[in-house]
Structures are given as structure tokens and as C-alpha cells.
């Protein structure tokens, strides 16, 4: 059984995350998704809201395989700990850690990255504005990464584009409704309540 592991800070989750998850659903037996805090970043919204938005984002995906799970119990600051939890859930699985190409430069700073890379396949999703640089790939491979680059290009949207510029095209309607209902991200230009 091939399990894709896709963690996100989901602050907020975007149409870009949704497109990645949809693509993973077509290519894996099971897609495990969770919202996590990132020890290398600060977050604007409490994790419980980010989980709720991620749930709405996944609900909206029409997957004929019904193989997408919001596996919030996997959430941890360190992906190595997430993997340990995943191994308890799916003892016979082959795990593929999924990251966008922007994370290639960050990965070497992750906790015990060599241990992690030894135990998973690494799938990199090309992302507009983050060209895959051979030297970054090389560094990850030297750390033991068994890297595949997906034949799928992510959307040109990001959580930052919403937080900083109020780019609503980054978000899906259910997530926009949730943000409005819960009065989140009050300082983004679109919301004008700061
Ligand atoms: N549009 C996208 N295409 C491909 N991968 C993406 C896309 N958006 C996010 N990802 C990947 O999803 C994972 C979670 O990303 P994250 O939640 O940090 O989104 P983000 O838009 O980069 O957020 P921020 O702008 O806050 O840094 C990372 O591996 C990231 O590379
Ligand atoms: O293991 C680590 O040291 C580590 C460092 C930074 C990020 N991560 C994980 O990477 C995933 C993507 O994070 P982000 O902030 O880019 O959405 C998420 O599951 C984080 O918990 C993990």
C-alpha cells in the first residue's frame, strides 16, 4: 500500500493545496493530510481553525477513490515524529513524503532529516516561482533523499498571497466562508477591519 504524507501549516489552506491533494488522490492508495505547526515559521491563526479549514478544503474534493484522510493525529512539529505515528497506523505501507519545490531549500534544516529521508520516498511537486535547482536536489540526495519530481505543476497561489495581499483567488469558497464567519485574518487588505 502506497501512502502519501502531506502536511501543511494551512494558514489558510489554499486552492494550491487542494490541487496537490486531488493529484495525490489519483496517484496513491491513501493520501494522509494534516495541519501542523512549522517550527521554522510563525502562524497567524490557531491550529484548531486551520484544521477546520483543511477539513472544508478536503470535503470539497470530488475523489472517486475516496482515499483522502484528514489524519490530524499525525500532526507534529517534527515530521520524523509524524512518520513514527504513521508507521503505527499503516504497518505495511510504503510512505512518500510530499513537499512543494519551495521546501527543497528548507528540508536540510528539518529535525534529523537523514533519518527521515532514509525511511520515505520524497515526492517534490514543482511550484511556480520555485524552480527546481539541481544543486538543491543534489543536497537532498546527498542526505539520502530518494527523490522523484511529480509530472504535475502546482497552482501559482500561496497562503502568503492571501495573508499579505488579500488574494482571494488563492482560496476556495468554503474556506472564504469559514474565514468570514470566524472573523479570521482581520488584517488582510480584503477584510479591511484591522
Ligand atoms: N501551490 C502549490 N503548489 C505546490 N505545492 C504547494 C503549493 N502550495 C503549498 N504547497 C506545498 O504544500 C506544503 C504546505 O505548504 P504551506 O502550507 O506552507 O503553503 P504555502 O502557500 O507555501 O504557505 P505560506 O505562504 O504561508 O508559506 C509544502 O510542501 C508546500 O511546498
Ligand atoms: O520536521 C521538521 O523539522 C519540520 C520543519 C519544518 C516543517 N515541517 C513540516 O513540513 C510540513 C509543511 O510545513 P509548511 O509550514 O511548509 O506548511 C508540515 O507538516 C510541517 O510540520 C517539519
Amino acid at each position: 500500500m502506497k501512502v502519501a504524507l502531506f502536511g501543511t501549516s494551512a494558514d489558510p489552506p489554499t486552492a494550491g493545496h487542494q490541487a496537490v491533494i486531488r493529484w495525490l488522490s489519483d496517484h496513491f492508495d491513501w493520501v494522509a493530510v494534516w495541519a501542523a505547526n512549522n517550527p521554522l515559521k510563525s502562524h497567524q491563526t490557531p491550529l484548531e481553525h486551520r484544521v477546520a479549514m483543511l477539513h472544508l478544503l478536503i470535503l470539497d474534493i470530488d475523489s472517486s477513490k475516496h482515499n483522502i484522510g484528514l489524519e490530524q493525529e499525525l500532526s507534529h512539529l517534527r515530521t520524523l515524529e509524524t512518520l513514527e505515528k504513521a508507521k503505527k497506523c499503516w504497518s505495511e505501507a510504503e510512505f512518500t513524503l510530499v513537499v512543494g519545490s519551495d521546501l527543497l531549500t528548507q528540508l536540510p534544516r528539518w529535525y534529523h532529516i537523514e533519518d527521515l529521508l532514509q525511511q520515505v520516498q520524497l515526492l517534490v511537486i514543482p511550484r511556480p516561482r520555485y524552480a527546481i535547482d539541481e544543486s538543491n536536489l543534489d543536497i537532498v540526495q546527498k542526505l539520502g533523499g530518494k527523490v522523484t519530481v511529480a509530472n504535475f505543476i502546482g497552482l501559482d497561489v500561496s497562503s502568503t498571497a492571501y495573508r499579505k495581499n488579500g488574494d482571494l483567488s488563492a482560496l476556495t469558497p468554503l474556506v472564504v466562508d469559514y474565514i468570514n464567519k470566524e472573523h479570521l485574518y482581520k488584517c488582510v487588505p480584503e477584510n479591511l477591519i484591522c
Side-chain angles (χ1 to χ4, degrees):
M1 174 162 172
K2 291 186 187 247
V3 175
L5 298 174
F6 185 59
T8 163
S9 47
D11 190 19
T14 66
H17 297 117
Q18 193 180 55
V20 170
I21 296 166
R22 190 179 287 118
W23 187 87
L24 293 172
S25 162
D26 287 338
H27 291 82
F28 285 85
D29 298 313
W30 190 253
V31 184
V33 183
W34 67 97
N37 290 322
N38 179 334
L40 307 174
K41 271 178 21 187
S42 61
H43 303 292
Q44 271 194 13
T45 310
L47 184 59
E48 69 200 60
H49 282 306
R50 290 184 271 133
V51 174
M53 291 186 280
L54 192 55
H55 176 62
L56 292 171
L57 192 88
I58 291 171
L59 266 187
D60 226 5
I61 301 176
D62 185 14
S63 157
S64 54
K65 286 168 83 179
H66 303 289
N67 62 346
I68 303 167
L70 177 59
E71 314 282 2
Q72 194 50 31
E73 69 283 3
L74 297 183
S75 180
H76 196 280
L77 281 172
R78 296 166 169 172
T79 300
L80 187 62
E81 298 291 340
T82 291
L83 179 65
E84 286 308 314
K85 296 179 193 211
K87 287 194 312 203
K88 288 186 184 129
C89 295
W90 301 279
S91 53
E92 300 296 322
E94 174 185 296
F95 294 105
T96 298
L97 178 66
V98 181
V99 295
S101 52
D102 56 303
L103 287 198
L104 274 177
T105 52
Q106 191 196 92
L107 268 183
R109 287 184 283 143
W110 283 22
Y111 180 76
H112 287 196
I113 186 64
E114 285 171 293
D115 263 13
L116 176 63
L117 290 175
Q118 201 176 39
Q119 300 179 65
V120 294
Q121 304 291 319
L122 184 71
L123 179 65
V124 179
I125 310 281
R127 189 169 176 183
R129 301 169 203 261
Y130 298 95
I132 297 179
D133 182 332
E134 281 303 319
S135 66
N136 292 330
L137 271 185
D138 204 42
I139 291 170
V140 172
Q141 278 162 341
K142 288 209 168 91
L143 290 167
K146 303 172 279 296
V147 187
T148 303
V149 176
N151 62 351
F152 163 79
I153 299 179
L155 302 183
D156 188 10
V157 297
S158 69
S159 306
T160 301
Y162 172 71
R163 289 196 311 269
K164 289 220 165 123
N165 310 320
D167 175 12
L168 279 174
S169 73
L171 303 188
T172 63
L174 289 182
V175 170
V176 173
D177 288 350
Y178 185 90
I179 288 171
N180 290 336
K181 184 168 66 81
E182 299 292 334
H183 308 294
L184 305 177
Y185 304 102
K186 292 199 186 97
C187 291
V188 312
E190 277 298 307
N191 295 343
L192 297 173
I193 325 169
C194 194

